């Protein structure tokens, strides 16, 4: 069938043309390894299972199992008005292969995880999008396929430390700074970066001439509201001449610039690394609406966007749904996370949303993409956060007590592709968490305060379980009533309001708050005698986690 034009269309290449045009004869084709018979998706030059290189397209039946879906209400695209169903299906011939798609031909209320689907193609120009509809021939849903690494089995995949010497012992955090934060500040993003960096340098009692390293995420790139232009832009504005610098998206999550800075300091490449992260999504959105910025256009290399999966919400909503399905988690479970963050934000004068929030408010909020409502999603904002990493041997001479680094976790165990990775938890939290505990003798019970990435409520839940603050699948009981994560609870969490209420500062705000808590400088929201803090950064993309402690 041919549909209305306007969807984001995939970029067709020599490597993927067989997939995007297979609907021309009504037969779905997936790349296969001729050596081990495995199906491979997305197409690769080598088989990930046997490393074989004899690869080519193979016809498959077109039948699949529904392993995830979300009904998108907030987002609409030309040719794809809301509500529409974004889904993930597992190919029957090899359930390790998952396709992001749309389910058509039925009422979304009829969908059930494990149901059997069949492909139906929809033509857009030279592309045939593989959509799926319910198929006959199966009584009752099938079990969902397993992940390559199941959540309960992650620890046995962790690599031991390569050397007994830890780079973490050579570094400290000596300065933090945050710019003005708000919705639609309508100021140049570089001015926010400069403000945060100036405050961090002053906080550390350093001068600009002391800074010999610069580190950021994601660095220079297309104008998108996710940065000020990177290291080059800041160097040009401030005239800093670093001996080492770093910028890029493929690092240890949005706060990965801090871990990269630690590695540089420990290696002797710099003494004081200024790490920074700037967002200006709110202003960017207004400028796009006003026609003053032209958003990227043209065909996309994404395997998700052609099906309307244009936001991380569409992927993470399916992780949340599968956590519900497997462990009995409920929307109320996620609600206690949102309520905790709002209660903490009420004590933080810089938080964007500080008004009281009730469970009734949470459950009654408008739907974004099922099961997420408005308060499951973080707050886009304009802000910049800066953190200074220094050599430990000079940190003690500065004005404020340094915050020491006990351990970091960075190991990737799960697949990185969003729709090929962990089903029940947010991808890229399990391996990093297990790696953290392999680098320290401290245990989860030693943590006094946790700053857990909460771009969405399921992010927070995933980190909570991955880090061992409760067992895998046990977050429903741990979070019930919200007491355990309250400021006076077993694990005070996201004490500044988190990204759900304070604002989306992409992990760096969580590190900023962890440092304040360990210094005893968090004011009305201070956790008494906080000596050990964990701060996580990212997830879904590669991520990192930091275990910090106050100086003795």
């Amino acid at each position: 069938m041919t549909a209305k034009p306007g969807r984001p269309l995939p970029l067709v290449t020599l490597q993927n043309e067989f997939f995007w045009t297979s609907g021309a004869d009504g037969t779905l084709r997936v790349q296969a390894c001729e050596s081990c018979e495995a199906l491979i998706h997305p197409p690769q030059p080598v088989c990930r299972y046997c490393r074989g290189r004899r690869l080519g397209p193979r016809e498959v039946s077109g039948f699949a199992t529904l392993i995830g879906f979300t009904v998108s209400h907030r987002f609409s695209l030309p040719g794809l008005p809301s509500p529409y169903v974004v889904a993930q299906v597992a190919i029957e011939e090899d359930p390790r292969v998952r396709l992001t798609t749309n389910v058509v031909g039925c009422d979304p209320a009829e969908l059930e995880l494990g149901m059997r689907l069949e492909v139906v193609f929809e033509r857009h120009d030279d592309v045939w999008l593989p959509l799926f509809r319910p198929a006959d021939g199966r009584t009752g849903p099938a079990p969902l396929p397993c992940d390559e690494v199941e959540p309960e089995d992650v620890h046995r995949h962790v690599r031991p430390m390569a050397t007994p010497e830890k780079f973490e012992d050579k570094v400290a955090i000596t300065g933090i700074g945050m710019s003005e934060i708000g919705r639609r500040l309508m100021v140049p993003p570089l001015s926010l970066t400069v403000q945060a960096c100036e405050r961090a340098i002053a906080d550390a009692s350093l001068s600009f001439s002391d800074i010999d390293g610069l580190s950021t995420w994601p660095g220079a790139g297309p104008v998108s509201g996710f940065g000020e232009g990177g290291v080059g832009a800041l160097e040009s504005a401030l005239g800093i001449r670093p001996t080492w610098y770093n910028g890029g998206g493929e690092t240890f999550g949005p706060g990965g610039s801090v871990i990269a800075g630690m590695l540089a300091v420990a290696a002797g490449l710099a003494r004081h690394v200024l790490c920074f992260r700037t967002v200006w999504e709110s202003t960017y959105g207004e400028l796009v609406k006003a026609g003053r910025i032209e958003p990227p256009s043209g065909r996309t290399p994404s395997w998700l966007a052609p099906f309307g999966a244009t936001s991380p919400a569409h992927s993470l909503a399916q992780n949340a749904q599968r956590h519900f399905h497997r462990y009995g988690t409920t929307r109320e479970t996620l609600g206690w996370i949102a309520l905790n963050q709002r209660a903490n934000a009420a004590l933080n004068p810089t938080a964007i949303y500080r008004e009281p929030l009730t469970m009734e408010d949470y459950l009654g909020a408008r739907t974004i993409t099922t099961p997420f409502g408005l308060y499951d999603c973080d707050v886009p904002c304009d802000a910049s956060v800066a953190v200074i990493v220094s050599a430990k041997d000079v940190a003690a001479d500065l004005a404020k007590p340094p915050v020491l680094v006990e351990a970091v976790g960075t190991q990737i165990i799960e697949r990185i592709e969003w729709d090929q990775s962990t089903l029940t938890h947010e991808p890229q939290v399990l391996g990093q968490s297990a790696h953290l505990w392999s680098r320290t003798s401290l245990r989860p019970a030693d943590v006094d305060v946790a700053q857990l990435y909460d771009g969405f409520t399921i992010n927070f839940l995933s980190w909570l379980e991955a880090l061992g603050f409760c067992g895998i699948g046990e977050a429903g009981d741990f979070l019930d009533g919200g007491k355990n994560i309250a400021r006076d609870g077993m694990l005070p969490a996201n004490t500044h309001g988190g990204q759900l209420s304070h604002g989306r500062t992409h992990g760096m705000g969580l590190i900023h708050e962890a440092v304040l808590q360990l210094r005893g400088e968090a004011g009305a929201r201070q956790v008494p005698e906080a000596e050990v803090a964990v701060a996580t950064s990212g997830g879904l993309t590669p991520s990192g986690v930091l275990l910090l402690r106050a100086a003795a």
Side-chain angles (χ1 to χ4, degrees):
M1 56 184 176
T2 303
K4 297 178 182 178
R7 284 194 190 212
L9 292 183
L11 180 66
V12 179
T13 67
L14 291 175
Q15 289 71 39
N16 66 32
E17 183 179 18
F18 73 87
F19 179 86
W20 292 118
T21 61
S22 62
D25 63 1
T27 302
L28 183 63
R29 292 174 178 83
V30 179
Q31 188 186 57
C33 174
E34 296 179 13
S35 299
C36 71
E37 303 295 315
L39 298 182
I40 308 295
H41 184 79
Q44 302 291 345
V46 62
C47 173
R48 67 180 284 114
Y49 303 108
C50 74
R51 310 294 194 273
R53 285 174 167 76
R54 292 187 296 135
L55 303 166
R58 176 183 299 167
E59 295 182 1
V60 295
S61 66
F63 289 104
T65 300
L66 181 64
I67 62 171
F69 67 92
T70 180
V71 183
S72 179
H73 290 262
R74 168 67 176 81
F75 306 90
S76 289
L77 296 172
L80 192 62
S82 63
Y84 59 88
V85 177
V86 177
Q88 291 176 8
V89 301
I91 298 299
E92 279 194 356
E93 286 82 352
D94 189 341
R96 294 174 298 186
V97 168
R98 305 162 187 176
L99 305 181
T100 291
T101 184
N102 301 125
V103 176
V104 297
C106 70
D107 186 331
E110 300 172 2
L111 295 177
E112 186 178 7
L113 292 182
M115 71 187 302
R116 195 181 195 218
L117 306 175
E118 63 181 354
V119 72
V120 56
F121 292 96
E122 184 175 278
R123 184 175 182 178
H124 296 257
D125 297 334
D126 59 341
V127 169
W128 282 260
L129 297 178
L131 312 184
F132 283 80
R133 66 188 177 194
D136 296 327
R138 178 187 288 166
T139 57
L144 300 191
C146 295
D147 291 314
E148 286 188 358
V149 178
E150 284 289 277
E152 295 84 353
D153 196 36
V154 164
H155 284 272
R156 76 179 184 88
H157 295 272
V158 175
R159 295 178 183 272
M161 287 177 56
T163 169
E165 184 180 69
K166 290 169 51 182
F167 78 88
E168 294 98 326
D169 294 335
K170 300 179 181 180
V171 302
I173 294 176
T174 56
I176 53 173
M178 183 179 293
S179 73
E180 181 182 0
I181 180 173
R183 300 273 280 164
R184 304 176 187 87
L185 295 179
M186 305 304 289
V187 299
L190 184 57
S191 66
L192 298 174
T193 308
V194 169
Q195 187 179 59
C197 291
E198 288 175 336
R199 290 175 177 178
I201 290 170
D203 182 66
S205 69
L206 295 171
S207 66
F208 280 100
S209 61
D210 293 317
I211 301 300
D212 53 2
L214 296 175
S215 187
T216 190
W217 184 95
V223 176
S224 62
F226 282 86
E228 69 295 279
V231 167
L234 187 67
E235 190 284 324
S236 179
L238 294 178
I240 296 173
R241 297 289 185 266
T243 58
W244 176 86
Y245 60 92
N246 166 76
E250 291 190 327
T251 186
F252 319 109
S257 62
V258 178
I259 298 179
M262 292 173 181
L263 290 166
V265 169
L269 290 167
R271 299 292 275 172
H272 301 286
V273 176
L274 176 62
C275 312
F276 56 96
R277 172 81 185 99
T278 301
V279 290
W280 55 293
E281 293 171 272
S282 296
T283 291
Y284 174 79
E286 289 297 303
L287 295 176
V288 169
K289 288 179 185 178
R292 295 171 62 184
I293 291 180
E294 188 69 28
S297 60
R299 296 209 171 190
T300 172
S302 169
W303 292 87
L304 284 66
F307 305 99
T310 55
S311 166
H314 292 121
S315 295
L316 287 166
Q318 295 180 75
N319 290 102
Q321 179 206 43
R322 289 179 295 236
H323 199 284
F324 289 11
H325 177 80
R326 182 166 178 175
Y327 302 115
T329 315
T330 65
R331 283 210 66 214
E332 284 82 356
T333 301
L334 301 183
W336 292 117
I337 299 169
L339 267 60
N340 177 75
Q341 268 72 316
R342 183 60 63 87
N344 290 337
L347 299 176
N348 186 351
T350 67
I352 292 176
Y353 290 138
R354 301 194 295 273
E355 301 82 7
L357 182 68
T358 67
M359 185 62 77
E360 183 179 7
D361 296 332
Y362 167 82
L363 294 173
R366 62 185 172 91
T367 302
I368 301 301
T369 187
T370 58
F372 289 162
L374 177 64
Y375 299 118
D376 289 294
C377 309
D378 61 9
V379 185
C381 65
D382 297 343
S384 182
V385 182
V387 174
I388 295 177
V389 176
S390 300
K392 186 178 177 181
D393 59 1
V394 300
D397 297 329
L398 301 181
K400 294 187 176 181
V403 168
L404 306 181
V405 184
E406 175 65 24
V408 306
T410 58
Q411 184 178 344
I412 294 174
I413 288 175
E414 310 145 85
R415 286 189 67 168
I416 293 178
E417 302 100 326
W418 289 6
D419 57 351
Q420 308 298 314
S421 196
T422 302
L423 288 172
T424 54
H425 292 72
E426 176 192 14
Q428 307 309 320
V429 306
L430 297 167
Q432 288 82 349
S433 296
H435 185 220
L436 175 79
W437 298 120
S438 74
R439 297 183 62 79
T440 175
S441 61
L442 296 181
R443 298 294 93 188
D446 296 311
V447 173
D448 299 310
V449 62
Q451 312 296 343
L452 306 182
Y453 195 86
D454 59 344
F456 300 90
T457 47
I458 189 63
N459 300 64
F460 180 100
L461 182 151
S462 297
W463 281 111
L464 186 76
E465 292 189 352
L467 284 164
F469 295 119
C470 63
I472 296 295
E474 296 177 1
D477 290 336
F478 186 86
L479 291 168
D480 187 35
K483 176 63 177 175
N484 282 334
I485 58 172
R487 288 187 311 280
D488 60 351
M490 180 189 305
L491 183 73
N494 292 40
T495 47
H496 68 313
Q499 301 192 144
L500 294 173
S501 285
H502 180 264
R504 183 192 297 164
T505 50
H506 266 180
M508 287 287 274
L510 298 165
I511 298 173
H512 185 280
E513 177 68 8
V515 172
L516 286 179
Q517 288 286 341
L518 294 179
R519 287 178 176 176
E521 297 177 351
R525 63 186 187 276
Q526 178 66 47
V527 174
E529 300 179 355
E531 295 183 353
V532 178
V534 66
T536 70
S537 171
L540 206 61
T541 58
S543 65
V545 52
L546 301 170
L547 189 64
L548 307 174
R549 54 187 174 86

